[in-house]
Structures are given as C-alpha cells and as structure tokens.
Amino acid sequence: MKLVIGLTGGIGSGKTTVANMFAAYGINIVDMDVIAHAIVEPGQPALQEIVSAFGAEVLGRDGSLNRQHLRKLVFADPAKRKQLEGILHPRIRAEARHQVDKATSPYCMMVIPLLFETGQNDLIQRILVVDTTPDLQLQRTMQRDNANREDVEKIIRVQVDRNARLAGADDIIENLGDEAALLAGVEALHQKYLSLAER
Ligand code: ATP
C-alpha cells in the first residue's frame, strides 16, 4: 500500500505553502480543496445533482456554482447540509483515492484542511500537522485574503484548537519563522518519509 501522509492545520497555518515545498521535491499532492472545487465545475455530475436538489438559483449567470448562495441555503438547515454532503463527500473521496492510485512519487501528500473536524483518517497512514500560533494565522490570513480580523477570528474559533491538533499529530512541522526555516523542516520530513516509504 502506498504511503499517504495527511497534511492538515488551521486556516492560514501554511498548508499550501508546505505542500508546494513537498511538490518541489517531486512529491504528488492530492488537495481536497482543489478536488472539492473541481467536482462542481460546469458539466460535472455533482453540479447537476446540486441543481436538482437545491434549484437553479444556486447557479450564477455564467452557469457556475454560486458557493456563497449555496452556503447560505445549507447554513441554517442541517437536513439540507446533510444532503449536500451526501452529494459531495463520496465524490471527493473517490477522486482523492483515484489520484493516490495514479501517483508515481515514493509517497504522496493529501492536504485535508478539516481532517480533525471531518475525520478522513481511512484515506491516510500518518498525520502531519502544520503548527503555528493563532496570532500568526490571523496576521497571515488577513494579509493574504485582505480579510477583516473578526471574520478570521471567527473561523479560528470554530476550528479544532491548536492543542487538539497537536495531540492528534504523528509529525509536526512548525511554521513560526520564515520560509527558509519552514523549508528546513520539510526537507527533514521528506527524508523521513522516503525511508518510511521504503519499508
Ligand atoms: P488556508 O487554510 O486558508 O487554505 P493554508 O494553511 O494553506 O491556508 P497558506 O496559504 O500556505 O496557508 O499560508 C497563509 C499565508 O501565509 C500565505 O499568504 C503564505 O504565503 C503565508 N505564509 C505561510 N508561511 C509563511 C512563513 N513562514 N513566512 C511568511 N509567510 C508565510
């Protein structure tokens, strides 16, 4: 069985940055967020199912999914949320498995932002947590998204907290300094995963 590392961490912790560094070592990256977007592109069966379930009002003028509107529709309605998850989750998981099967690198990295919130542990063998402080998460996310403090703080609050993430980790990569320090951590883990993959 192929070694699959699950990469997770809070909003703005540095998951994408870390994944890009592994990718630069030739490691195949399977990104759940990328997959979640791809499966609802116009022409995809999941988008048709969403329209059948929620109505054409979830489509924008150009025929693409209006995520904001859909989010509002399911937000206050647990049954609708379940229905949406029933459409999306099996497809996301199937596509993730498919990409792992296709992967050619010695091990692969699956980016699962909400790993602890949603539990997808069956898809991976080890958990790598990108760890940083809530303050840095806030600063970096505000800067990246031009977002306001309250919105980001709210997201940080509803996600699993830092200690719970660390407690669930097999490996931890600290993202407290600059990108050079982060790369050093990635390099060390890459060596470790290569030797694990050989066994
Ligand atoms: P999200 O959960 O929101 O998708 P993420 O965990 O993928 O976020 P990134 O997008 O990788 O996080 O990082 C958040 C922002 O912080 C990005 O703009 C990134 O360039 C920047 N960043 C990440 N790590 C560092 C670092 N060590 N030094 C400086 N900037 C960093």
Side-chain angles (χ1 to χ4, degrees), residues 8-21 31 33 111 113 130 132 136-137 139-145 155 159 174-183:
T8 192
I11 180 172
S13 57
K15 296 178 293 294
T16 305
T17 308
V18 167
N20 288 340
M21 289 173 176
D31 188 319
D33 274 354
V111 187
V130 189
T132 191
L136 279 171
Q137 281 180 272
Q139 275 176 36
R140 288 173 180 159
T141 306
M142 283 169 59
Q143 196 169 22
R144 183 195 57 191
D145 298 344
I155 294 171
Q159 292 185 339
E174 264 189 9
N175 190 10
L176 301 168
D178 60 12
E179 293 204 9
L182 188 62
L183 183 59

Side-chain angles (χ1 to χ4, degrees), residues 4-197:
V4 184
I5 311 296
L7 176 63
T8 192
I11 180 172
S13 57
K15 296 178 293 294
T16 305
T17 308
V18 167
N20 288 340
M21 289 173 176
F22 279 101
Y25 287 114
I27 297 307
N28 293 127
I29 309 296
V30 178
D31 188 319
M32 294 304 216
D33 274 354
V34 172
I35 294 174
H37 278 82
I39 64 161
V40 294
E41 289 281 307
Q44 295 296 313
L47 184 58
Q48 269 145 23
E49 270 191 49
I50 290 170
V51 171
S52 306
F54 298 95
E57 57 178 300
V58 299
L59 294 179
R61 257 185 233 128
D62 62 353
S64 68
L65 183 62
N66 182 340
R67 294 163 181 286
Q68 227 175 340
H69 185 67
L70 183 61
R71 220 174 290 137
K72 267 192 212 133
L73 274 183
V74 302
F75 182 74
D77 189 334
K80 283 197 168 140
R81 175 183 292 242
K82 269 248 142 59
Q83 192 180 7
L84 179 63
E85 287 173 353
I87 296 169
L88 295 178
H89 288 186
R91 286 198 165 86
I92 293 172
R93 291 167 55 81
E95 176 59 22
R97 284 208 182 89
H98 175 66
Q99 291 189 12
V100 168
D101 287 343
K102 275 194 323 194
T104 53
S105 54
Y107 64 91
C108 65
M109 181 95 11
M110 196 178 281
V111 187
I112 314 180
L114 298 178
L115 178 61
F116 291 112
E117 290 84 350
T118 60
Q120 314 249 26
N121 301 48
D122 58 316
L123 296 172
I124 60 177
Q125 272 90 57
R126 287 181 81 81
I127 297 177
L128 170 58
V129 166
V130 189
D131 180 54
T132 191
T133 64
D135 255 8
L136 279 171
Q137 281 180 272
L138 191 62
Q139 275 176 36
R140 288 173 180 159
T141 306
M142 283 169 59
Q143 196 169 22
R144 183 195 57 191
D145 298 344
N146 220 337
N148 74 61
R149 173 176 291 269
E150 291 69 38
D151 288 347
V152 182
E153 280 177 338
K154 208 192 288 170
I155 294 171
I156 293 174
R157 266 201 309 275
V158 299
Q159 292 185 339
V160 147
D161 75 19
R162 187 180 179 187
N163 288 334
R165 248 188 232 107
L166 290 175
D170 295 301
D171 304 297
I172 295 163
I173 183 160
E174 264 189 9
N175 190 10
L176 301 168
D178 60 12
E179 293 204 9
L182 188 62
L183 183 59
V186 167
E187 160 69 23
L189 283 165
H190 176 58
Q191 295 307 330
K192 173 176 180 170
Y193 294 150
L194 283 177
S195 62
L196 282 177

